[in-house]
Amino acid sequence: MQRYLDHNATCPPLELALTAQIEAARGAFGNPSSLHGSGRAARRILDDARDALAAYIGAESGSLVFTCGGTEANNLAILGGFASQEPGHIITTAIEHPSVLQPLARLEEAGWQITRLRPNADGVVAASDVAAALRENTRLVAVMAANNETGVLQPVAEIGVVCQEHNSKAHDKQGNHTVFLVDAVQALGKAKISLRDWNADFVSFSAHKIGGPRGVGALMMRRGMRIQEIAPGGGQERKRRSGTENVPGIAGFAAALGQIDFSALQSLRDAFEDELLAALPEAVIFGKQAPRTANTSMFCIAGLDGETLLMQLDLAGFEVASGSACSSGKREPSHVLLAMGARQDQARSSIRVSFGPSNTPQDATALVAELARIRQRLRSMAGAA
Ligand SMILES: Cc1ncc(COP(=O)(O)O)c(C=O)c1O
């Protein structure tokens, strides 16, 4: 039996999201831009889904642009918002997802100056650091709501206030204000989404982290925000994102909203961490002192390689993630943990467990027992060598 413990990577699809997708694919096959009945039926599904997402996150329906996922939503805000502008200054954090870091690196190549703030040892970026880094020509502040590796929540409401205060005092010579982008992909369904409190101009979302389909997401754009399409075409989504909308996927996204109560997983996650520390006292849990999404636990066990651990766990039926990223065949340590001040060996050996609604306390207990067994085995192999 495989135990799936990797819900931050993707959440298994919810039955009702699958049903909504199949019904939309079969029953509303028209192109939502077509004016005939079949097109109008597809358009209705799109409109209903947009209204549902808007109501769920507290936004206006017209502010939502459907995309092919969180990656595209972040790229649309960053490249669509700024690539055609005069280069200025941008503040972000060293712990963002690659879908924020990479488009920002592209802007840097084009002459933009990027400040990448580091979090404290618990993984939290201070709003005061954002305030201190602001310049007259800061055009964008990009900070995630919840980190995908550690689950640590960032003080986005405080950072929103910092941006608002900055904007009320200063404008650059062209009258540009500082735009605030929040990557809320890992926060949706797991933390309070409060667009009003966050004072954000752009917020990105993804469907597959909440039991909806992969390849579907959305960007919330505050009224008055302008972007240039990054893949120009037929002008769908009010000329903000061309391409025929993925109507079944979007229907599945809407159906999944609010269906999983991730906060209910806190006692399971906490019990897992207690059991882990009791069985393997050398384990280090990252971000444990910070507010975190309730389903996530990232840790390392001194002396045990993360990749080896992950493979051994997989063989024993536990599907978890490692914090290290694989790039061109070379294993890179987790950039998130390095930014938090973890040692290279810790950043290379980290394991992320992210629980979901089908997990039970028995899964957590069995995982700890397996970790202890693997440690024993690897240590005795190392001793015998
Ligand atoms: C924080 C964060 N942002 C963005 C993304 C990208 O979302 P998608 O997989 O929908 O492209 C992810 C996915 O892991 C994520 O965790």
Coordinates of all heavy atoms in Angstrom, one line a residue, residues 253-339:
F253 N -11.7 23.4 -10.9 CA -11.1 24.3 -9.9 C -12.2 24.8 -9.0 O -12.1 24.8 -7.8 CB -10.4 25.4 -10.7 CG -9.6 26.4 -9.9 CD1 -9.3 26.2 -8.5 CD2 -9.0 27.5 -10.5 CE1 -8.6 27.1 -7.8 CE2 -8.2 28.4 -9.8 CZ -8.0 28.2 -8.4
A254 N -13.2 25.3 -9.7 CA -14.3 25.9 -8.9 C -15.0 24.9 -7.9 O -15.3 25.2 -6.8 CB -15.4 26.5 -9.8
A255 N -15.1 23.6 -8.4 CA -15.7 22.6 -7.6 C -14.9 22.2 -6.4 O -15.4 21.8 -5.4 CB -16.0 21.4 -8.5
A256 N -13.6 22.4 -6.5 CA -12.7 22.0 -5.4 C -12.6 23.0 -4.3 O -12.1 22.7 -3.2 CB -11.3 21.7 -6.0
L257 N -13.0 24.3 -4.6 CA -12.8 25.4 -3.6 C -13.4 25.0 -2.3 O -14.6 24.7 -2.2 CB -13.4 26.7 -4.2 CG -12.7 27.3 -5.3 CD1 -13.6 28.4 -6.0 CD2 -11.4 27.9 -4.9
G258 N -12.6 25.1 -1.3 CA -13.2 25.0 0.1 C -13.5 23.6 0.5 O -14.1 23.4 1.6
Q259 N -13.2 22.6 -0.3 CA -13.7 21.2 0.0 C -12.7 20.5 1.0 O -13.2 19.6 1.6 CB -13.7 20.4 -1.3 CG -14.8 20.9 -2.3 CD -16.2 20.8 -1.7 OE1 -16.5 19.8 -1.0 NE2 -17.0 21.8 -1.9
I260 N -11.5 20.9 1.0 CA -10.5 20.2 1.9 C -10.2 21.2 3.1 O -9.8 22.3 2.9 CB -9.2 19.8 1.2 CG1 -9.5 18.9 0.1 CG2 -8.3 19.2 2.2 CD1 -8.3 18.5 -0.7
D261 N -10.4 20.7 4.3 CA -10.1 21.5 5.5 C -8.7 21.1 5.9 O -8.5 20.2 6.8 CB -11.1 21.2 6.6 CG -10.9 22.0 7.8 OD1 -10.0 22.9 7.8 OD2 -11.5 21.8 8.9
F262 N -7.7 21.8 5.4 CA -6.3 21.5 5.7 C -6.0 21.9 7.2 O -5.1 21.3 7.8 CB -5.4 22.3 4.8 CG -5.2 21.7 3.4 CD1 -6.0 22.2 2.3 CD2 -4.3 20.7 3.2 CE1 -5.8 21.6 1.1 CE2 -4.2 20.1 1.9 CZ -4.9 20.6 0.9
S263 N -6.8 22.8 7.7 CA -6.5 23.2 9.1 C -6.7 22.1 10.1 O -6.1 22.0 11.1 CB -7.3 24.5 9.5 OG -8.6 24.2 9.5
A264 N -7.6 21.2 9.7 CA -7.9 20.0 10.5 C -6.8 19.1 10.7 O -6.8 18.2 11.5 CB -9.2 19.3 10.0
L265 N -5.7 19.3 9.8 CA -4.6 18.4 9.8 C -3.5 18.7 10.8 O -2.5 18.1 11.0 CB -4.0 18.3 8.4 CG -4.9 17.7 7.4 CD1 -4.5 18.0 6.0 CD2 -5.1 16.2 7.6
Q266 N -3.8 19.8 11.5 CA -2.7 20.3 12.5 C -2.4 19.3 13.5 O -1.2 19.1 13.8 CB -3.2 21.6 13.1 CG -2.3 22.1 14.3 CD -1.8 23.5 14.1 OE1 -2.4 24.3 13.4 NE2 -0.8 23.9 14.9
S267 N -3.4 18.7 14.1 CA -3.1 17.7 15.2 C -2.4 16.5 14.7 O -1.4 16.0 15.3 CB -4.4 17.3 15.9 OG -5.3 16.8 15.0
L268 N -2.7 16.1 13.4 CA -2.0 15.0 12.8 C -0.5 15.4 12.6 O 0.4 14.6 13.0 CB -2.6 14.7 11.5 CG -2.0 13.6 10.6 CD1 -1.9 12.3 11.3 CD2 -2.9 13.4 9.3
R269 N -0.3 16.6 12.0 CA 1.1 17.0 11.8 C 1.9 17.2 13.1 O 3.0 16.8 13.2 CB 1.1 18.3 11.0 CG 2.4 18.9 10.4 CD 3.2 19.7 11.3 NE 2.5 20.8 12.0 CZ 2.3 22.0 11.5 NH1 2.8 22.3 10.4 NH2 1.7 22.9 12.3
D270 N 1.2 17.8 14.1 CA 1.9 18.0 15.4 C 2.3 16.7 16.0 O 3.4 16.5 16.6 CB 1.1 18.9 16.3 CG 1.0 20.3 15.8 OD1 1.8 20.6 14.8 OD2 0.2 21.1 16.3
A271 N 1.3 15.7 16.0 CA 1.6 14.4 16.6 C 2.7 13.7 15.8 O 3.6 13.1 16.5 CB 0.3 13.6 16.5
F272 N 2.8 13.9 14.5 CA 3.9 13.3 13.7 C 5.2 13.9 14.2 O 6.2 13.1 14.5 CB 3.7 13.6 12.2 CG 4.9 13.4 11.4 CD1 5.4 12.1 11.2 CD2 5.6 14.5 10.9 CE1 6.6 11.9 10.5 CE2 6.8 14.3 10.2 CZ 7.3 13.0 10.0
E273 N 5.3 15.2 14.4 CA 6.5 15.8 14.8 C 6.9 15.4 16.2 O 8.1 15.2 16.5 CB 6.4 17.4 14.6 CG 6.3 17.8 13.1 CD 6.3 19.3 12.9 OE1 6.1 20.1 13.9 OE2 6.6 19.7 11.7
D274 N 5.9 15.3 17.1 CA 6.3 14.8 18.5 C 6.9 13.4 18.4 O 7.9 13.1 19.1 CB 5.0 14.8 19.3 CG 4.5 16.3 19.6 OD1 5.3 17.2 19.4 OD2 3.4 16.4 20.1
E275 N 6.2 12.6 17.6 CA 6.7 11.2 17.6 C 8.1 11.1 16.9 O 8.9 10.3 17.3 CB 5.7 10.3 16.7 CG 4.4 10.1 17.5 CD 3.4 9.3 16.6 OE1 3.8 8.4 15.9 OE2 2.2 9.6 16.7
L276 N 8.3 12.0 15.9 CA 9.6 12.0 15.2 C 10.7 12.4 16.2 O 11.7 11.7 16.2 CB 9.5 13.0 14.0 CG 10.8 13.2 13.2 CD1 11.1 11.9 12.4 CD2 10.6 14.4 12.3
L277 N 10.4 13.4 16.9 CA 11.5 13.9 17.8 C 11.7 12.9 19.0 O 12.8 12.8 19.5 CB 11.1 15.3 18.4 CG 11.2 16.4 17.3 CD1 10.6 17.7 17.9 CD2 12.6 16.6 16.8
A278 N 10.7 12.2 19.3 CA 10.8 11.2 20.4 C 11.6 10.0 19.9 O 12.5 9.5 20.6 CB 9.5 10.7 20.9
A279 N 11.4 9.6 18.7 CA 12.1 8.4 18.1 C 13.5 8.8 17.6 O 14.4 7.9 17.7 CB 11.2 7.8 17.0
L280 N 13.6 10.0 17.0 CA 14.9 10.4 16.4 C 15.2 11.8 17.0 O 15.0 12.8 16.3 CB 14.8 10.4 14.9 CG 14.5 9.0 14.3 CD1 13.1 9.0 13.6 CD2 15.6 8.7 13.3
P281 N 15.8 11.8 18.2 CA 16.0 13.2 18.8 C 16.9 14.0 18.0 O 17.0 15.3 18.2 CB 16.6 12.8 20.2 CG 16.4 11.4 20.3 CD 16.2 10.7 19.0
E282 N 17.7 13.4 17.1 CA 18.7 14.3 16.3 C 18.0 15.0 15.1 O 18.6 15.8 14.4 CB 19.8 13.4 15.8 CG 19.5 12.4 14.6 CD 19.0 11.1 15.1 OE1 18.3 11.1 16.2 OE2 19.2 10.1 14.4
A283 N 16.7 14.7 14.9 CA 15.9 15.3 13.8 C 15.8 16.8 14.0 O 15.6 17.2 15.2 CB 14.6 14.7 13.6
V284 N 15.9 17.6 13.0 CA 15.7 19.0 13.1 C 14.5 19.4 12.2 O 14.4 19.0 11.0 CB 16.9 19.8 12.5 CG1 16.7 21.3 12.5 CG2 18.2 19.5 13.3
I285 N 13.5 20.1 12.8 CA 12.3 20.4 12.1 C 12.4 21.9 11.7 O 12.6 22.8 12.6 CB 11.0 20.2 12.9 CG1 10.9 18.7 13.2 CG2 9.8 20.7 12.2 CD1 9.9 18.2 14.2
F286 N 12.2 22.2 10.5 CA 12.5 23.6 10.0 C 11.2 24.4 10.2 O 10.1 24.0 9.8 CB 13.0 23.6 8.6 CG 14.3 22.9 8.4 CD1 14.4 21.6 7.9 CD2 15.5 23.5 8.9 CE1 15.6 21.0 7.8 CE2 16.7 22.9 8.8 CZ 16.7 21.6 8.2
G287 N 11.3 25.7 10.7 CA 10.2 26.6 10.8 C 9.2 26.2 11.9 O 8.1 26.7 11.9
K288 N 9.6 25.3 12.8 CA 8.7 24.8 13.8 C 8.2 25.9 14.7 O 7.1 25.8 15.2 CB 9.4 23.7 14.6 CG 8.5 23.0 15.6 CD 9.2 21.7 16.1 CE 8.4 21.1 17.2 NZ 7.0 20.8 17.0
Q289 N 9.0 27.0 14.9 CA 8.5 28.0 15.8 C 7.7 29.1 15.1 O 7.2 30.0 15.8 CB 9.7 28.7 16.5 CG 10.7 27.8 17.2 CD 10.0 26.9 18.2 OE1 9.0 27.3 18.8 NE2 10.5 25.6 18.3
A290 N 7.6 29.0 13.8 CA 6.8 30.0 13.1 C 5.4 29.6 12.8 O 5.1 28.4 12.8 CB 7.6 30.3 11.7
P291 N 4.5 30.5 12.5 CA 3.2 30.1 12.0 C 3.4 29.4 10.7 O 4.1 29.8 9.8 CB 2.4 31.4 11.9 CG 3.4 32.5 11.9 CD 4.7 32.0 12.6
R292 N 2.7 28.2 10.6 CA 2.9 27.4 9.4 C 1.6 26.9 8.9 O 0.6 26.8 9.7 CB 3.8 26.1 9.7 CG 5.2 26.3 9.7 CD 5.9 25.0 10.1 NE 5.6 24.5 11.4 CZ 5.9 23.2 11.8 NH1 6.5 22.4 10.9 NH2 5.6 22.8 13.0
T293 N 1.5 26.5 7.6 CA 0.3 25.8 7.1 C 0.2 24.5 7.9 O 1.3 23.9 8.2 CB 0.4 25.5 5.6 OG1 1.6 24.9 5.3 CG2 0.2 26.8 4.8
A294 N -1.0 24.1 8.2 CA -1.2 23.0 9.2 C -0.8 21.6 8.8 O -0.6 20.7 9.6 CB -2.6 23.0 9.7
N295 N -0.6 21.4 7.4 CA -0.3 20.1 6.9 C 1.1 19.8 6.7 O 1.5 18.7 6.2 CB -1.1 19.9 5.6 CG -0.5 20.7 4.5 OD1 0.0 21.8 4.6 ND2 -0.5 20.1 3.3
T296 N 2.0 20.8 6.9 CA 3.4 20.7 6.3 C 4.4 20.5 7.4 O 4.4 21.2 8.4 CB 3.7 21.9 5.5 OG1 2.7 22.2 4.6 CG2 5.1 21.8 4.8
S297 N 5.4 19.6 7.2 CA 6.5 19.4 8.1 C 7.7 19.1 7.3 O 7.8 18.2 6.4 CB 6.2 18.2 9.0 OG 7.3 18.0 9.9
M298 N 8.8 20.0 7.5 CA 10.0 19.8 6.8 C 11.1 19.5 7.8 O 11.2 20.3 8.8 CB 10.4 21.0 5.9 CG 11.4 20.6 4.9 SD 11.9 22.0 3.9 CE 12.5 21.2 2.5
F299 N 11.9 18.5 7.6 CA 12.9 18.1 8.6 C 14.1 17.5 8.0 O 14.0 17.1 6.8 CB 12.3 17.2 9.6 CG 11.7 15.9 9.0 CD1 12.5 14.8 8.9 CD2 10.4 15.8 8.5 CE1 12.0 13.6 8.3 CE2 9.9 14.7 7.9 CZ 10.7 13.6 7.8
C300 N 15.2 17.4 8.7 CA 16.3 16.5 8.3 C 16.7 15.7 9.5 O 16.4 16.0 10.6 CB 17.4 17.4 7.7 SG 18.3 18.3 8.9
I301 N 17.4 14.6 9.2 CA 17.9 13.7 10.2 C 19.4 13.6 10.0 O 19.9 13.2 8.9 CB 17.3 12.3 10.1 CG1 15.7 12.4 10.3 CG2 17.9 11.3 11.1 CD1 15.0 11.1 9.9
A302 N 20.1 14.1 11.0 CA 21.6 14.3 10.8 C 22.2 13.0 10.3 O 21.9 11.9 10.8 CB 22.2 14.7 12.2
G303 N 23.1 13.1 9.3 CA 23.8 12.0 8.8 C 23.1 11.2 7.8 O 23.7 10.3 7.2
L304 N 21.8 11.4 7.5 CA 21.1 10.6 6.5 C 20.9 11.5 5.3 O 20.3 12.6 5.4 CB 19.8 10.1 7.1 CG 19.8 9.2 8.3 CD1 18.5 8.6 8.5 CD2 20.9 8.1 8.0
D305 N 21.3 11.0 4.1 CA 21.1 11.7 2.9 C 19.6 11.7 2.5 O 19.0 10.7 2.5 CB 22.0 11.0 1.8 CG 21.7 11.6 0.4 OD1 22.0 12.8 0.3 OD2 21.1 10.9 -0.4
G306 N 19.2 12.9 2.1 CA 17.7 13.1 1.8 C 17.2 12.2 0.7 O 16.2 11.6 0.7
E307 N 18.0 12.1 -0.4 CA 17.6 11.4 -1.6 C 17.5 9.9 -1.3 O 16.6 9.2 -1.6 CB 18.6 11.6 -2.7 CG 18.0 11.6 -4.1 CD 17.1 12.8 -4.4 OE1 17.0 13.7 -3.5 OE2 16.6 12.8 -5.5
T308 N 18.5 9.4 -0.5 CA 18.5 8.0 -0.1 C 17.3 7.7 0.7 O 16.6 6.7 0.5 CB 19.8 7.6 0.7 OG1 20.9 8.2 0.0 CG2 20.0 6.2 1.0
L309 N 17.1 8.6 1.7 CA 15.9 8.4 2.6 C 14.6 8.4 1.8 O 13.7 7.5 2.0 CB 15.9 9.7 3.5 CG 15.3 9.5 4.9 CD1 15.9 8.3 5.6 CD2 15.7 10.8 5.7
L310 N 14.5 9.3 0.8 CA 13.3 9.4 0.0 C 13.1 8.1 -0.8 O 12.0 7.6 -0.8 CB 13.5 10.6 -1.0 CG 12.2 10.9 -1.8 CD1 11.9 12.4 -1.6 CD2 12.4 10.7 -3.3
M311 N 14.2 7.5 -1.4 CA 14.0 6.3 -2.1 C 13.6 5.1 -1.2 O 12.8 4.3 -1.6 CB 15.3 5.9 -2.8 CG 16.0 7.0 -3.5 SD 15.5 7.2 -5.2 CE 17.0 7.5 -5.9
Q312 N 14.3 5.1 -0.1 CA 14.0 4.0 0.9 C 12.5 4.1 1.3 O 11.9 3.1 1.5 CB 14.9 4.1 2.1 CG 16.4 4.0 1.7 CD 16.9 2.5 1.8 OE1 16.3 1.7 2.5 NE2 17.9 2.2 1.0
L313 N 12.1 5.3 1.6 CA 10.7 5.5 2.0 C 9.8 5.1 0.9 O 8.7 4.4 1.2 CB 10.5 7.0 2.4 CG 11.0 7.4 3.8 CD1 10.9 8.9 3.9 CD2 10.3 6.7 4.9
D314 N 10.1 5.4 -0.3 CA 9.2 5.1 -1.5 C 9.1 3.5 -1.5 O 8.0 3.0 -1.7 CB 9.8 5.7 -2.7 CG 8.9 5.5 -3.9 OD1 7.6 5.6 -3.7 OD2 9.3 5.4 -5.1
L315 N 10.3 2.9 -1.4 CA 10.2 1.4 -1.5 C 9.4 0.8 -0.4 O 8.7 -0.2 -0.5 CB 11.7 0.8 -1.3 CG 12.6 0.9 -2.5 CD1 14.0 0.5 -2.2 CD2 12.0 0.1 -3.7
A316 N 9.4 1.5 0.8 CA 8.6 1.0 1.9 C 7.1 1.5 1.8 O 6.3 1.2 2.7 CB 9.2 1.5 3.2
G317 N 6.8 2.3 0.8 CA 5.4 2.7 0.6 C 5.0 4.0 1.1 O 3.8 4.3 1.2
F318 N 6.0 4.9 1.3 CA 5.7 6.3 1.8 C 6.2 7.3 0.7 O 7.4 7.3 0.4 CB 6.4 6.6 3.1 CG 6.0 5.7 4.2 CD1 6.6 4.5 4.5 CD2 4.9 6.0 5.1 CE1 6.2 3.6 5.5 CE2 4.5 5.2 6.1 CZ 5.2 4.0 6.3
E319 N 5.2 8.1 0.2 CA 5.6 9.0 -0.8 C 5.7 10.4 -0.2 O 4.7 11.0 0.2 CB 4.5 9.0 -1.9 CG 4.5 7.6 -2.6 CD 3.5 7.5 -3.8 OE1 2.5 8.2 -3.7 OE2 3.8 6.8 -4.7
V320 N 7.0 10.9 -0.1 CA 7.3 12.2 0.4 C 8.1 13.0 -0.6 O 8.5 12.4 -1.6 CB 8.0 12.1 1.8 CG1 7.2 11.3 2.8 CG2 9.4 11.4 1.6
A321 N 8.5 14.2 -0.2 CA 9.3 15.0 -1.1 C 10.7 15.3 -0.4 O 10.8 15.3 0.8 CB 8.6 16.3 -1.5
S322 N 11.7 15.5 -1.3 CA 12.9 16.0 -0.7 C 13.0 17.5 -1.0 O 12.5 18.0 -2.0 CB 14.1 15.3 -1.2 OG 14.5 15.8 -2.5
G323 N 13.7 18.2 -0.1 CA 13.8 19.7 -0.3 C 14.8 20.1 -1.4 O 14.7 21.1 -1.9
S324 N 15.7 19.1 -1.7 CA 16.7 19.5 -2.7 C 16.1 19.4 -4.1 O 15.2 18.6 -4.3 CB 17.9 18.5 -2.6 OG 17.5 17.2 -2.9
A325 N 16.6 20.3 -5.0 CA 16.0 20.3 -6.3 C 17.0 19.7 -7.3 O 18.2 19.8 -7.1 CB 15.7 21.7 -6.7
C326 N 16.5 19.0 -8.3 CA 17.4 18.4 -9.3 C 17.5 19.3 -10.5 O 16.5 19.7 -11.1 CB 16.8 17.1 -9.7 SG 18.1 16.0 -10.3
S327 N 18.7 19.8 -10.8 CA 18.9 20.6 -12.0 C 20.0 20.0 -12.8 O 21.1 19.8 -12.3 CB 19.1 22.0 -11.6 OG 20.4 22.3 -11.3
S328 N 19.8 19.7 -14.0 CA 20.7 19.1 -15.0 C 21.5 18.0 -14.3 O 22.7 17.9 -14.4 CB 21.7 20.1 -15.6 OG 21.6 21.4 -15.0
G329 N 20.8 17.1 -13.7 CA 21.4 15.9 -13.2 C 22.1 16.1 -11.9 O 22.6 15.1 -11.3
K330 N 22.3 17.3 -11.4 CA 23.0 17.6 -10.2 C 22.0 18.0 -9.1 O 21.0 18.7 -9.4 CB 23.9 18.8 -10.5 CG 25.2 18.7 -9.7 CD 26.2 19.8 -10.2 CE 26.2 20.9 -9.2 NZ 26.1 22.2 -9.5
R331 N 22.2 17.4 -7.9 CA 21.3 17.7 -6.9 C 21.7 19.0 -6.2 O 22.8 19.2 -5.7 CB 21.2 16.6 -5.9 CG 19.8 16.2 -5.6 CD 19.6 14.8 -5.0 NE 20.7 14.2 -4.3 CZ 21.1 14.5 -3.1 NH1 20.5 15.4 -2.4 NH2 22.1 13.8 -2.6
E332 N 20.7 20.0 -6.2 CA 21.0 21.3 -5.5 C 20.4 21.3 -4.2 O 19.2 20.8 -4.0 CB 20.3 22.4 -6.4 CG 20.8 22.5 -7.8 CD 22.3 23.0 -7.9 OE1 22.8 23.6 -6.9 OE2 22.9 22.8 -8.9
P333 N 21.1 21.8 -3.2 CA 20.4 21.9 -1.8 C 19.2 22.9 -1.9 O 19.1 23.7 -2.8 CB 21.5 22.5 -1.0 CG 22.5 23.1 -1.9 CD 22.4 22.4 -3.2
S334 N 18.3 22.7 -0.9 CA 17.1 23.6 -0.9 C 17.5 25.0 -0.7 O 18.2 25.4 0.2 CB 16.2 23.1 0.2 OG 15.4 24.2 0.7
H335 N 17.1 25.9 -1.7 CA 17.4 27.3 -1.6 C 16.7 27.9 -0.4 O 17.2 28.9 0.1 CB 17.1 28.0 -2.9 CG 15.6 28.2 -3.2 ND1 14.8 27.2 -3.6 CD2 14.8 29.3 -3.1 CE1 13.6 27.6 -3.8 NE2 13.6 28.9 -3.5
V336 N 15.6 27.3 0.0 CA 14.8 27.9 1.1 C 15.5 27.7 2.4 O 15.7 28.6 3.2 CB 13.4 27.2 1.1 CG1 12.6 27.7 2.3 CG2 12.6 27.5 -0.2
L337 N 16.0 26.5 2.6 CA 16.7 26.2 3.8 C 18.1 26.9 3.9 O 18.4 27.4 5.0 CB 16.9 24.7 4.0 CG 15.6 23.8 4.1 CD1 16.0 22.4 4.4 CD2 14.7 24.4 5.2
L338 N 18.7 27.0 2.8 CA 20.0 27.8 2.8 C 19.7 29.2 3.2 O 20.5 29.8 4.0 CB 20.7 27.7 1.4 CG 21.3 26.4 1.0 CD1 22.0 26.5 -0.4 CD2 22.3 25.9 2.0
A339 N 18.7 29.8 2.6 CA 18.4 31.2 3.0 C 18.0 31.3 4.5 O 18.2 32.4 5.1 CB 17.2 31.7 2.1

